[in-house]
Amino acid sequence: VLFLPDSPRYNLVSGQPEKAIDTFRFLAKCNKKSLPLRLKLRQLSVEDLGSHAMLLSKEHKRSAISLSLLMAANVFIGFAFILFQPLILMNGCERHPSPIVPYTCKLLTNKQLFQLTITNLALCVGNITGSITSHLFGRLTSLRLSNFLLLVSITPMFACVSKNFLTLNMAAIEFFGGIVNSIVWIIMPEIFPTTIRSTACGFISGCGKIGGVLGSGAVAVFYYIDPVIVVALLLAAGLVELAMSFVFKKETKHFVMKDC
């Protein structure tokens, strides 16, 4: 790492265009390519870099808003599940007999810990699967199909059939949620030019953090009133994800992006 050159973008921003050109020539040589002898690079003004106005301009607004809402809904489900899974494994997901259930702290059994391990492993597999499916079938198709299957996976939680079925049900939700999350992170650097890419990624991931806080808070507030309310909120978040996957219309696989 110590011997690798700085990024050309950093060189340009810091007023070192010659070093940026040297870096490009080094990278071209590594890839057995050649560059024009009189290569010139244009340095963008500081106002153009990381501009929220550019992010929300007509060209990028649809992508920024749809991906932000999609990420917020996805992380809402993910963070809500972190709290919701151990609670329903310990106490079940049926309606409580009374409006308020006394708070009790219980240790998870080895079986319950194993069930949580299965569901979290499904999330990891989903993250990997997302990168594979988006490469094979494209970003849009994979995103929309995985969001639909996520929505389908949430619906059976209203029935609360049995603990074993519940484990498989939660694993399916984690799996498809992991696929969606992975694809969104693949799309972000492909859809936004470098001038606003960091701002876009920060903005979208920030919306995801807001969704995570709301998801955790929803479980804390509503689970002890009625677990069905939590499931309904998860379903609503899944509907938002599915809707935003259709609002977002750009297929970024093999997408050639203008960098200014």
Side-chain angles (χ1 to χ4, degrees), residues 118-152:
I118 292 174
T119 58
N120 282 283
L121 182 61
L123 173 63
C124 298
V125 175
N127 288 143
I128 297 170
T129 304
S131 63
I132 297 171
T133 56
S134 62
H135 176 72
L136 294 175
F137 308 112
R139 285 38 164 168
L140 271 182
T141 301
S142 300
L143 184 66
R144 291 169 178 174
L145 180 60
S146 55
N147 271 311
F148 172 74
L149 293 174
L150 173 63
L151 193 64
V152 171

Side-chain angles (χ1 to χ4, degrees), residues 211-253:
V213 172
L214 293 175
S216 302
V219 176
V221 171
F222 294 113
Y223 174 78
Y224 290 101
I225 298 174
D226 192 340
V228 174
I229 298 176
V230 179
V231 178
L233 290 173
L234 294 174
L235 188 67
L239 283 169
V240 171
E241 282 195 56
L242 183 61
M244 289 304 104
S245 69
F246 281 92
V247 171
F248 179 78
K249 294 184 178 295
K250 292 184 179 180
E251 174 56 69
T252 59
K253 184 181 179 183

